[in-house]
Amino acid sequence: MTAPAESRTSSRRQERRARRTRRIRRAVAVAVVLSALGSWLVLSRSTTGTPASATASVSLPAADSGTTTADAGTDTGPDPDADSLLAAALGELDGHFAVTVADPGSGASAAWGTDSFVTASIVKVDILAALLLRNDGVLTGDQKAAAALMIEQSDNDAATALFDAVGGATGLDEANAAFGLTGTAAGTDGFWGLTSTTAADQARLLRVVFTEDSPLGSASRAYLAKLMGLVADDQDWGVSAADQGGAVQLKNGWLPRDSTGLWVVNSIGRIEYGGRPLLVSVLSDGSATEDAGIALVESVAAAAVRAFAGGAQQ
């Protein structure tokens, strides 16, 4: 039996309040640790012992079929000073990760790390964006149902169905060329979760979803962003640790590698910090457990956003 609309609305509000409470608690916990240790946040060394990549500038290229509008902000290119702030905040964190933070209003951005990572389930945002591009924003009822399951619940069967609908690896690569993702290669043989990407490309994908600097129409962008704001309660972690606004839109990915048993844990999305929206992507691998990977991603997101926002106010 379907629950009455008022009951569903009340339940949704309760879930959102609970999610916001958890985000606040995580943010407070991270702030306490940062305060106690100064500007450094040191985690236990991962079993790989691989240090974070050297800091690198990130440029967010415009999509092939569009230009940045005033509302979307102007891409000012890499900011060496902002990159240096991230380097100072993240340089002693143990683990293999990369992160980007971008302000879509001003075009300012900063980054740490240039390595490629396996996407795991964050590619589901890319798959839906590709399908919306391929179909000019028009989806069937079955595709809409699958899209909701794929983004909100991270359902893998739904992802496989929509990956096939975009033409598999070839179709996803074609869409990514239109999106301006130059460092992303779709997983082959149906293994969409083994798509490889960079933090810079995930920053670009977030601009495709959340700004007018995109080949997607406004209705398609709003639809995708709405689903990212309805992620299941038990998957509301990651970049949300840096949020202060309570209206996070995100997608996470987590995957143990068969060859090593170590975890890939990624998180991308739009948060609010200091009263303005920020686009944040954190990619990681080599964590001994899923929980350790989540802790790393949340610590990186919180420290990077804090450093970026602090530098922007100077």
Side-chain angles (χ1 to χ4, degrees), residues 37-294:
L37 298 180
S39 61
W40 306 112
L41 180 62
V42 181
L43 298 177
S44 298
R45 183 172 296 277
S46 70
T47 55
T48 62
T50 305
S53 304
T55 184
S57 298
V58 169
S59 175
L60 301 180
D64 293 343
S65 60
T67 57
T68 304
T69 66
D71 289 340
T74 301
D75 180 7
T76 60
D79 183 343
D81 292 336
D83 287 350
S84 296
L85 289 172
L86 259 63
L90 302 171
E92 290 195 354
L93 281 177
D94 287 333
H96 185 215
F97 61 86
V99 56
T100 62
V101 184
D103 181 345
S106 68
S109 64
W112 167 273
T114 59
D115 288 352
S116 293
F117 295 79
V118 168
T119 59
S121 285
I122 61 169
V123 75
K124 292 169 181 176
V125 173
D126 197 9
I127 291 172
L128 182 52
L131 185 63
L132 290 166
L133 180 67
R134 183 185 184 95
N135 293 351
D136 293 325
V138 179
L139 304 184
T140 67
D142 286 345
Q143 288 173 338
K144 288 181 180 178
L149 286 172
M150 179 177 71
I151 301 298
E152 296 178 29
Q153 304 293 331
S154 204
D155 186 272
N156 290 336
D157 290 339
T160 297
L162 297 186
F163 183 65
D164 291 342
V166 303
T170 299
L172 189 60
D173 284 339
E174 289 174 352
N176 285 337
F179 295 152
L181 276 59
T182 59
T184 299
T188 57
D189 298 324
F191 294 107
W192 42 261
L194 297 183
T195 295
S196 62
T197 194
T198 63
D201 267 13
Q202 291 306 300
R204 174 61 199 150
L205 180 62
L206 290 173
R207 288 188 66 86
V208 167
V209 176
F210 291 104
T211 80
E212 294 181 11
D213 179 16
S214 172
L216 297 180
S218 59
S220 292
R221 298 196 307 272
Y223 172 66
L224 215 170
K226 177 182 177 181
L227 293 182
M228 292 175 69
L230 297 173
V231 166
D233 189 54
D234 62 346
Q235 298 175 24
D236 184 21
W237 46 262
V239 297
S240 57
D243 177 66
Q244 294 179 334
V248 177
Q249 296 156 300
L250 57 72
K251 184 70 190 80
N252 297 322
W254 57 99
L255 174 70
R257 299 308 305 268
D258 291 339
S259 59
T260 64
L262 302 177
W263 283 80
V264 171
V265 180
N266 303 321
S267 184
I268 62 172
R270 177 189 180 278
I271 67 162
E272 291 184 13
Y273 190 93
R276 58 177 172 158
L278 296 175
L279 307 179
V280 185
S281 62
V282 184
L283 309 180
S284 79
D285 60 24
S287 291
T289 65
E290 180 184 0
D291 286 345
I294 291 173

